[in-house]
Amino acid sequence: MLKKENIICISSIDWDFIWQGHQEIMSSFAGAGNKVLFIENTGARAPGIKDISRIKDRIKNWFKGARGIRQVNDNLYVFSPLVLPFPYLKPAAWINSRLILRVLEKWFKVMNFSNPVVWVFLPTPLSLNLINNFNCKAVIYYCIDNFKVSSVSARKIKKSEIKLLKSADLVFVTSRELYAYCRDYNDKVSFFPFAVNFNKFQEARLSDQPPPQELADIKKPIVGYIGGVHKWLNLSLIKEIASKLNNYSFVFVGPAQTDISVLSGLKNVYFLAKKEHKVIPYFIKNFDVCIIPYLNTDYTKNVYPTKLNEYHAMGKPVVSTDLPEIAYYNSENEKLVFVGKTSEEFIRCISDALLSADNNGLIEQRIAAAQKNSWPNRIEEMSCLTEEVIDAKSRVTFNWKSSFLRLYAITRGRFLKTLIAILSLCFLIFYTPLVWFLASPLKISQPPHKADCIVVFAGGAGESGMAGQGYEERVEYAVELYKQGYAKHIIFSSGYMYVFKEPLLMKVLAVSLGVPADAIILEDKASGTCQNVKFTDEILKANGWNEILLVSSPYHMRRVALVFDQIDKLMKVTYAPINNSIFYAHPQRDENGRIIWKRITLRQIEGILHEYAGILYYWAKGCK
């Protein structure tokens, strides 16, 4: 076993996700006295709506730690980096690596952490950038998925994965299909399927602990599944067998990661959500038959179902669909797994498996098969190969001249690439409409119509960052709406004070433009958008008003809408931003008719980023 090494794990999952080989291996290394840094998933695809909860968790975890790094056990540290969500855009990969390295360089110094052994589960351009800056003792790529067929957006990973395969000191794989693929690029490939913590499962199997409470009211026999309820499960198959075997209970223990509504009408199907890994053996112990109902696809033919070892460690019979890795497992273990190629066969296999559940001879065979696939044995074998690589690399004769010239060439190449990347990024940001395009989701603009009141949220120091700027155009637009008869009252909301309180100045300007003083109400306590909405809502309710026109800057509207949704969903809000904000203007030509090439200013970018930061804050913390 490796000892007294510094180990970095570039993971393809988060630490708090379903317990898998990533956490098991790194926990074992930390327990053996190695210092381990576990870098959570930085993404193999652009995130979508379904990832919002994971993004919120990442932000929370970042704040939990010191610059995103927290200690979860002795010698074991988890880093939850915040990164741009564009895994295959070169400028984004460069920026993300700079963001991560700035934190890690300081952490390395404090922790006396250098010359790490790097285990990579995620072969993205960002991972390659990080590896090139780590001065690694050894690089091990643990290939556990065929990423390029896992999703459409992840197909772009192939180029960086091939680079990693060619440069890695060792490659470990979890399936024969992955072995054949990786051997095309590296001859140091070893087959190491994910395993099982055999001793913990045996302890649970032999204990007299009562069944988990969640299973107490579920009638036997129980057909059970452990793991994520994801898109690779054959939900049509599950629906058919559960409908026909209505005297069986079908229990799924794991987070729902796909739409499971197709199964919602079945009374004998139960979803028990994600459980802590330490209690998983006790659920399996109370299953009568365990299943692996995967679809047979280009993705799953590369998958070794880890749960198979967990099921067999508890001595349970297993029924699976016809997966390549199951066929290999059966060829080595006397066909211990029942395989159903059709729904009829799967149903028959469940019945046969139930009949074999108490067969002591088969129980012993299953347990023996799982013991061969225990994590201590697996990790020890991988560790020995890693030690051999480290030892071999340390005995290579050092050629200072070639190393120096190579380092110089690499540095020069990096400098040129960095310079080109920076110039390209500056051009994209400042001389194209890219930022305005990215900012467009912030805008909400609706045609004004008659309401009880016009509400104006002032900007304080404003988007410009300077006092006394920004509120004038909002007041002028509110007065215009008032004079057109859209409402008989105006509320000015702001707690900002420079020389005078901002709402007072807004009232003076509105009165000078022809609005009667008694038509204006001031709210002068709010110190931010959340309080703008809260205090204004109190005024509206006190007056019995339930429909308003909301005036603010165009890019502030999305944040206001989110807060209103949290505080008062019943309030009817029409979002009427000022039509032409001077601060957000980006004209084609100047007053002399000359072309303005620069499409956006740094101050405007700061204003837009401020809005996105505010939205992320409300998502993470809520409105208090």
Side-chain angles (χ1 to χ4, degrees):
M1 174 70 77
L2 287 170
K3 293 187 182 296
K4 296 183 179 179
E5 295 287 355
N6 295 319
I7 299 174
I8 294 176
C9 172
I10 302 178
S11 177
S12 57
I13 62 171
D14 292 345
W15 180 260
D16 294 323
F17 189 61
I18 301 169
W19 189 271
Q20 297 181 31
H22 311 60
Q23 299 100 319
E24 189 74 47
I25 295 167
M26 294 306 137
S27 294
S28 296
F29 282 146
N34 300 285
K35 198 179 296 178
V36 177
L37 177 66
F38 186 99
I39 302 177
E40 292 188 311
N41 183 17
T42 51
R45 56 173 177 78
I49 297 297
K50 64 181 180 180
D51 298 299
I52 287 176
S53 61
R54 192 170 68 83
I55 293 169
K56 287 176 68 174
D57 289 340
R58 172 61 59 86
I59 293 170
K60 288 178 182 177
N61 284 336
W62 194 89
F63 281 107
K64 275 184 193 175
R67 290 298 191 184
I69 300 177
R70 65 191 189 278
Q71 185 171 3
V72 296
N73 217 327
D74 291 344
N75 295 321
L76 182 54
Y77 303 83
V78 174
F79 182 28
S80 306
L82 299 180
V83 295
L84 297 176
F86 310 106
Y88 306 107
L89 191 65
K90 283 188 177 181
W94 182 85
I95 291 170
N96 288 339
S97 61
R98 295 302 102 193
L99 292 172
I100 291 173
L101 289 169
R102 280 182 63 185
V103 175
L104 293 187
E105 284 169 3
K106 294 179 175 61
W107 188 81
F108 288 168
K109 287 182 181 178
V110 170
M111 300 299 294
N112 192 26
F113 192 102
S114 60
N115 302 113
V117 176
V118 180
W119 285 61
V120 187
F121 290 91
L122 187 68
T124 57
L126 174 56
S127 297
L128 293 179
N129 287 356
L130 295 176
I131 291 167
N132 289 336
N133 283 275
F134 283 156
N135 191 24
C136 311
K137 269 190 179 180
V139 175
I140 295 96
Y141 175 36
Y142 206 154
C143 183
I144 63 170
D145 277 316
N146 188 341
F147 286 100
K148 60 185 180 294
V149 297
S150 63
S151 69
V152 174
S153 56
R155 290 175 185 170
K156 299 175 183 176
I157 206 169
K158 184 174 181 180
K159 186 176 179 181
S160 55
E161 183 176 44
I162 290 173
K163 285 184 179 179
L164 179 58
L165 281 168
K166 289 179 176 179
S167 62
D169 297 298
L170 290 170
V171 178
F172 301 151
V173 298
T174 55
S175 75
R176 273 78 172 181
E177 291 282 342
L178 292 174
Y179 183 91
Y181 163 66
C182 292
R183 281 283 296 182
D184 288 340
Y185 305 102
N186 194 316
D187 59 2
K188 297 175 183 175
V189 182
S190 300
F191 178 60
F192 288 118
F194 273 9
V196 61
N197 193 322
F198 185 78
N199 291 337
K200 287 184 179 178
F201 276 75
Q202 280 300 289
E203 182 182 328
R205 188 178 72 85
L206 299 172
S207 77
D208 55 2
Q209 184 168 317
Q213 187 61 38
E214 294 95 327
L215 298 178
D217 296 326
I218 298 177
K219 71 173 186 177
K220 293 271 193 173
I222 294 176
V223 177
Y225 170 88
I226 296 290
V229 183
H230 45 61
K231 64 181 181 180
W232 308 116
L233 287 187
N234 192 335
L235 298 182
S236 298
L237 171 67
I238 295 167
K239 181 179 181 180
E240 186 172 353
I241 62 177
S243 299
K244 291 180 178 178
L245 296 176
N246 51 23
N247 57 325
Y248 287 67
S249 297
F250 290 80
V251 175
F252 294 81
V253 180
Q257 297 165 319
T258 191
D259 181 9
I260 55 175
S261 58
V262 68
L263 302 173
S264 58
L266 298 172
K267 294 182 180 180
N268 61 331
V269 177
Y270 303 85
F271 294 96
L272 304 187
K274 180 184 175 183
K275 305 299 175 188
E276 287 187 68
H277 188 254
K278 64 183 179 182
V279 303
I280 291 297
Y282 298 97
F283 280 90
I284 298 175
K285 181 179 181 179
N286 289 278
F287 293 164
D288 297 290
V289 176
C290 299
I291 57 172
I292 304 172
Y294 286 2
L295 292 163
N296 210 319
T297 67
D298 284 341
Y299 178 78
T300 57
K301 75 180 182 181
N302 294 277
V303 169
Y304 179 93
T306 309
K307 56 186 63 62
L308 172 58
N309 293 316
E310 296 176 342
Y311 295 158
H312 274 173
M314 300 300 292
K316 297 296 177 178
V318 178
V319 180
S320 174
T321 47
D322 186 24
L323 302 173
E325 284 304 314
I326 295 294
Y328 285 123
Y329 185 91
N330 269 344
S331 68
E332 295 176 351
N333 294 284
E334 300 181 26
K335 297 185 177 180
L336 279 179
V337 179
F338 295 86
V339 176
K341 296 181 181 180
T342 65
S343 59
E344 291 78 12
E345 286 185 14
F346 208 96
I347 290 171
R348 190 163 57 250
C349 286
I350 289 176
S351 299
D352 292 344
L354 184 61
L355 292 173
S356 75
D358 296 324
N359 185 312
N360 289 328
L362 287 175
I363 290 173
E364 289 178 7
Q365 280 184 267
R366 294 166 192 148
I367 293 171
Q371 189 170 18
K372 290 189 296 185
N373 294 306
S374 68
W375 269 124
N377 294 341
R378 190 82 85 237
I379 293 172
E380 183 61 41
E381 291 174 26
M382 293 189 290
S383 183
C384 287
L385 290 176
T386 305
E387 288 179 293
E388 288 174 10
V389 165
I390 294 172
D391 184 57
K393 289 179 76 173
S394 68
R395 287 189 272 108
V396 174
T397 304
F398 181 66
N399 187 326
W400 72 269
K401 185 176 180 180
S402 63
S403 297
F404 175 73
L405 292 175
R406 184 171 64 254
L407 182 60
Y408 185 86
I410 291 170
T411 303
R412 182 176 58 186
R414 284 180 185 167
F415 174 76
L416 289 174
K417 286 180 181 178
T418 301
L419 182 61
I420 292 169
I422 291 172
L423 291 175
S424 300
L425 189 61
C426 287
F427 176 79
L428 281 170
I429 291 173
F430 292 103
Y431 295 94
T432 75
L434 175 65
V435 177
W436 296 116
F437 172 76
L438 295 175
S440 59
L442 294 172
K443 296 175 70 174
I444 305 176
S445 183
Q446 300 166 325
H449 57 79
K450 284 199 172 184
D452 297 319
C453 182
I454 299 166
V455 176
V456 183
F457 287 170
E463 300 91 346
S464 68
M466 300 179 67
Q469 295 187 15
Y471 74 83
E472 299 98 330
E473 54 191 11
R474 303 183 196 193
V475 173
E476 287 177 354
Y477 186 52
V479 170
E480 182 184 329
L481 293 172
Y482 175 85
K483 288 182 176 180
Q484 291 175 10
Y486 284 107
K488 295 181 180 180
H489 301 88
I490 300 176
I491 297 175
F492 293 128
S493 174
S494 173
Y496 183 75
M497 181 170 180
Y498 183 51
V499 177
F500 300 100
K501 286 194 172 182
E502 191 168 33
L504 181 60
L505 296 175
M506 297 169 78
K507 181 177 181 179
V508 170
L509 178 55
V511 170
S512 73
L513 293 174
V515 179
D518 59 2
I520 298 172
I521 300 173
L522 303 184
E523 185 290 297
D524 60 3
K525 297 180 294 181
S527 61
T529 301
C530 189
Q531 291 188 357
N532 281 133
V533 174
K534 274 187 176 180
F535 297 151
T536 301
D537 194 57
E538 291 172 4
I539 296 171
L540 294 170
K541 286 178 178 175
N543 286 277
W545 297 333
N546 59 15
E547 190 165 357
I548 66 170
L549 288 175
L550 196 290
V551 175
S552 189
S553 77
Y555 294 98
H556 187 212
M557 287 303 187
R558 181 66 61 184
R559 181 150 56 116
V560 176
L562 287 170
V563 178
F564 259 112
D565 283 344
Q566 287 187 17
I567 290 177
D568 190 349
K569 289 186 177 181
L570 298 178
M571 183 63 62
K572 297 177 182 176
V573 183
T574 298
Y575 296 96
I578 49 180
N579 293 320
N580 297 300
S581 169
I582 295 173
F583 174 75
Y584 285 115
H586 42 287
Q588 302 288 332
R589 296 179 181 272
D590 64 16
E591 62 274 10
N592 298 316
R594 289 174 298 195
I595 295 174
I596 300 174
W597 295 106
K598 203 169 187 181
R599 307 303 302 129
I600 196 167
T601 66
L602 188 60
R603 183 70 73 179
Q604 287 171 330
I605 293 172
E606 287 178 2
I608 291 166
L609 289 176
H610 175 75
E611 288 303 325
Y612 273 116
I615 288 171
L616 287 173
Y617 179 83
Y618 287 135
W619 268 343
K621 297 287 187 179
C623 192
K624 298 178 181 179

